[in-house]
Amino acid sequence: MTVMKLAILPLTILILFPCLLLSQNTMDDDTMKWMKGWTNFDPNHEVYPRADEDIPIIIDQDTYLTNNKTYLLSGNTYVVNGATLTIQEGTIIRCDTQTPTNLVISKGAKLIARGLKGQPIVFTSSKSPKARKSGDWGGIIIIGSGSINSPSEAGIIEGDFLPQYSLYGGKNDKEMTAIMTYTRIEYAGKKINQSIELNGLSLYALGKESILNNIMISHSGDDSFEFFGGTVDMNNLISYKTKDDDYDFTLGYRGELYNIVAVRHPYISDISGSYAIEIDGFDKKLGGTLQSLSSVKITDATIINLSDRTNYQHTSAAISSKNLAQLDITNSKISGFANVVKFDDSYTSFTDLKKSFSLENSIFNVHDVNVLVSLEPESEAQTLLQYNMFTTHFKSVKDFFEAPLDTKMPKFTLKQARDTYTVMQ
């Protein structure tokens, strides 16, 4: 384990940057009350009612699902021809595990799924309690007409879907495609084969007018949230014990995320490598321009790996940044990983790094070097994380947070005040 010994900022620097200390109370208090009343951190023991009505495979006219029924989603269901699928608060949708099951909101159609804090909408496995597992079913795919970073300005969604309902992308960055609030997506992310893996929630080229917040994705077999271009902003998001990435950005996605949580486990990871945040400036296979790189701003993130001294060696970096992607993170907590961020070789200079990445007014607890990069000298890359607080010795998850392993409502409040940690200069 590498021990990082870095000087404490002098008093004059702390005066110049008071935000480091002034925001301490807001960071260390229980600021995650928004999670209460609609989340479920132990869904494998939840008893859901049996499905009593099937959802049709093709929805080509406005359709309303009511909460006095439990629905079965089986096979690929497409909302098409500009139809709107509306789901009432408190509705439960059981998802078939025997077939590749997905809900696809095609381009021009709409999804209105307004759950309430006490009545969330739930998409979950059709299996019984204790039998559910990651990747039991596919996921939810929402397709928009926003811009993407590709020479063709359009694309075909990933997976084996009907081609007439699979086109995404365009120039309408103000489009409203979906309203989704207080919704849980459990045990999605089915892996069809080595080249087809489905995400809990796939967002293709969504415009700014879409509203997505208070969404929890747990036990996904692939990514939890994946953004393929578009400009939609989102807040109050939870990714819990996913197998692959928690938040994946590609194809020139440009937007802001606020109040996001990623909780990983050191023994749960994809063979290809998994991160809490993976961001690509563009897709190498499709091509793209340097003028439309993925650019993401994240505020108030809690990015946790539930590692301790017996298993921390199984962790990787919290963030993977590739193909000159641009990422700005503020007021956040990153803990339990080997590194804070890993850069690929598209960043050919320290100028590239400084233009593309910033972490500010945050605290991190990692067990290896803070920044992984192929550039020399490596020490210069560590200055990317200046004006943050950090632990000089790796802390296990139970030593760092109040109640991180609680199965009812984990609590990621720091056990010690932020100003007891070292400040990087």
Side-chain angles (χ1 to χ4, degrees), residues 1 3 9 17 29 48 55 66 107 142 254 259 273 296 387 422 425:
M1 180 175 71
V3 177
L9 278 175
F17 296 95
D29 287 343
Y48 294 111
I55 297 176
T66 58
K107 190 173 177 179
I142 307 176
R254 291 169 291 116
N259 258 5
V296 182
Y387 313 132
T422 300
Q425 65 174 355

Side-chain angles (χ1 to χ4, degrees), residues 13 33 55 59 65 77 93-94 115 125 131 141 144 152 160 175 203 223 239 251 253 267 281 287 318 381 411:
I13 296 296
K33 293 179 180 178
I55 297 176
I59 298 174
L65 305 184
T77 290
I93 300 171
R94 306 295 297 270
S125 169
I141 299 166
S152 64
D160 186 16
E175 181 183 45
L203 305 174
D223 297 344
S239 172
L251 280 175
Y253 167 75
Y267 295 141
K411 190 174 182 181

Side-chain angles (χ1 to χ4, degrees), residues 133-373:
K133 64 181 187 301
S134 298
D136 270 352
W137 62 286
I140 300 174
I141 299 166
I142 307 176
I143 303 173
S145 304
S147 59
I148 62 173
N149 189 3
S150 170
S152 64
E153 298 184 351
I156 301 294
I157 64 174
E158 296 179 354
D160 186 16
F161 298 102
L162 295 175
Q164 64 268 39
Y165 305 132
S166 300
L167 186 68
Y168 69 91
K171 296 182 178 180
N172 189 358
D173 281 330
K174 294 185 178 180
E175 181 183 45
M176 200 292 286
T177 304
I179 298 175
M180 178 183 283
T181 63
Y182 292 108
T183 298
R184 298 203 308 263
I185 302 170
E186 302 169 351
Y187 300 103
K190 190 178 187 69
K191 184 172 183 177
I192 308 302
N193 55 46
Q194 291 296 328
S195 59
I196 300 178
E197 296 176 324
L198 304 168
N199 307 305
L201 181 60
S202 299
L203 305 174
Y204 285 90
L206 263 60
K208 272 288 194 223
E209 297 301 317
S210 289
I211 299 171
L212 295 99
N213 57 58
N214 293 284
I215 300 170
M216 179 179 191
I217 301 178
S218 56
H219 303 284
S220 175
D222 197 52
D223 297 344
S224 287
F225 298 85
E226 184 156 8
F227 300 74
F228 299 84
T231 57
V232 64
D233 298 330
M234 296 172 62
N235 65 285
N236 291 10
L237 309 177
I238 304 169
S239 172
Y240 186 69
K241 293 187 177 179
T242 188
K243 186 174 182 181
D244 203 1
D245 306 318
D246 296 277
Y247 301 90
D248 194 335
F249 308 97
T250 189
L251 280 175
Y253 167 75
R254 291 169 291 116
E256 298 185 15
L257 273 62
Y258 172 71
N259 258 5
I260 70 168
V261 176
V263 180
R264 303 191 59 81
H265 192 281
Y267 295 141
I268 302 175
S269 181
D270 191 78
I271 191 171
S272 61
S274 304
Y275 306 92
I277 296 172
E278 183 170 65
I279 181 168
D280 295 281
F282 58 91
D283 188 320
K284 279 189 174 181
K285 294 179 183 177
L286 299 178
T289 69
L290 297 181
Q291 288 71 42
S292 301
L293 296 169
S294 296
S295 180
V296 182
K297 182 177 180 179
I298 299 175
T299 306
D300 287 337
T302 300
I303 300 173
I304 308 297
N305 199 309
L306 301 175
S307 61
D308 57 35
R309 297 183 185 280
T310 69
N311 55 29
Y312 69 82
Q313 67 272 20
H314 298 292
T315 64
S316 60
I319 302 164
S320 171
S321 191
K322 300 184 292 186
N323 300 325
L324 294 173
Q326 299 169 351
L327 180 62
D328 177 11
I329 303 177
T330 59
N331 210 40
S332 297
K333 292 176 280 190
I334 299 173
S335 177
F337 297 88
N339 326 97
V340 173
V341 58
K342 173 184 177 182
F343 295 97
D344 75 350
D345 57 9
S346 66
Y347 303 88
T348 59
S349 69
F350 292 108
T351 300
D352 285 344
L353 296 180
K354 291 176 181 178
K355 282 175 20 181
S356 302
F357 182 86
S358 69
L359 177 72
E360 295 182 351
N361 197 29
S362 299
I363 183 168
F364 58 87
N365 165 50
V366 297
H367 65 79
D368 203 341
V369 294
N370 302 329
V371 178
L372 275 181
V373 65

Side-chain angles (χ1 to χ4, degrees), residues 53 61-67 71 84-89:
E53 184 169 319
Q61 57 186 346
D62 292 353
T63 300
Y64 192 81
L65 305 184
T66 58
N67 61 19
Y71 295 88
T84 297
L85 173 62
T86 302
I87 305 174
Q88 187 180 15
E89 67 275 8

Side-chain angles (χ1 to χ4, degrees), residues 3-21:
V3 177
M4 296 162 287
K5 296 181 179 179
L6 298 170
I8 297 177
L9 278 175
L11 181 60
T12 53
I13 296 296
L14 292 177
I15 293 172
L16 288 173
F17 296 95
C19 59
L20 285 170
L21 298 181

